[in-house]
């Protein structure tokens, strides 16, 4: 999955075929179907994996000495809006759009779409709690995508 995510990040998904993706990452298109079930399910998993990678960035920003919460939020937003990630952003919005229009094969991407940003990621040592005011802007930084 990581190789597929990296390929989509680097090349986008506009002309993505399972055969082309398989050839690019060194597996057969049949293996991609076997592992994901369908092209649509593969795209959902690419989006979900990309989202998890982004959530995993938040804990890395917390311990930066001298970095204010506002600066951490700005840094996180810069990472989200990196031009190299344009393909992933397009895929995110396209898949979410299909899911919101009722296409059932894309519906799983909506599961946890908001709440997963509010829960601690597996890589975090401790959850960010609302009572920890200095970390609240980091959690809020998960919302810049809404402005993209």
């Amino acid at each position: 999955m990581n190789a597929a995510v990296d390929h989509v990040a680097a090349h986008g998904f506009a002309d993505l075929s399972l055969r082309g993706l398989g050839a690019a990452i060194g597996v057969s298109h049949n293996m991609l179907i076997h592992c994901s079930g369908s092209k649509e399910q593969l795209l959902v998993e690419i989006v979900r994996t990309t989202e998890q990678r982004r959530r995993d960035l938040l804990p890395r920003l917390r311990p930066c000495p001298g970095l204010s919460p506002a600066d951490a939020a700005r840094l996180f937003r810069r990472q989200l809006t990196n031009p190299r990630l344009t393909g992933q952003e397009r895929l995110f919005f396209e898949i979410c759009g299909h899911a919101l229009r009722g296409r059932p094969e894309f519906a799983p991407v909506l599961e946890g779409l908001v709440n997963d940003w509010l829960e601690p990621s597996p890589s975090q040592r401790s959850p960010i709690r609302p009572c920890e005011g200095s970390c609240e802007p980091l959690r809020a930084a998960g919302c810049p995508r809404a402005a993209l």
Side-chain angles (χ1 to χ4, degrees):
M1 184 55 61
N2 285 324
V5 171
D6 294 341
H7 181 80
V8 170
H11 304 284
F13 73 99
D15 297 321
L16 186 69
S17 71
L18 291 179
R19 278 192 168 79
L21 177 61
I25 64 174
V27 299
S28 72
H29 71 282
N30 289 328
M31 180 59 75
L32 290 173
I33 291 173
H34 174 75
C35 291
S36 62
S38 69
K39 181 178 180 180
E40 291 80 9
Q41 289 171 325
L42 176 65
L43 293 174
V44 166
E45 284 309 308
I46 288 172
V47 168
R48 292 178 86 163
T49 301
T50 300
E51 286 296 285
Q52 184 60 53
R53 285 182 178 183
R54 291 184 179 178
R55 284 190 301 275
D56 288 344
L57 290 174
L58 284 175
R60 289 188 223 150
L61 296 176
R62 279 180 66 194
C64 296
L67 190 64
S68 74
D71 288 338
R74 280 190 279 282
L75 178 60
F76 184 64
R77 185 175 191 295
R78 272 198 305 274
Q79 290 174 350
L80 283 180
T81 58
N82 183 325
R84 291 182 299 118
L85 303 178
T86 300
Q88 290 177 344
E89 288 303 314
R90 285 185 184 140
L91 179 61
F92 172 85
F93 284 110
E94 181 167 334
I95 299 303
C96 287
H98 286 306
L100 291 169
R101 284 190 298 272
R103 289 190 56 186
E105 64 272 25
F106 294 115
V109 81
L110 299 177
E111 296 169 11
L113 191 62
V114 174
N115 289 337
D116 287 353
W117 281 96
L118 302 177
E119 297 297 320
S121 72
S123 62
Q124 284 181 277
R125 292 190 182 112
S126 62
I128 299 173
R129 294 183 178 84
C131 61
E132 297 176 36
S134 64
C135 294
E136 203 55 29
L138 290 178
R139 182 183 294 172
C143 299
R145 169 172 276 124
L148 294 178

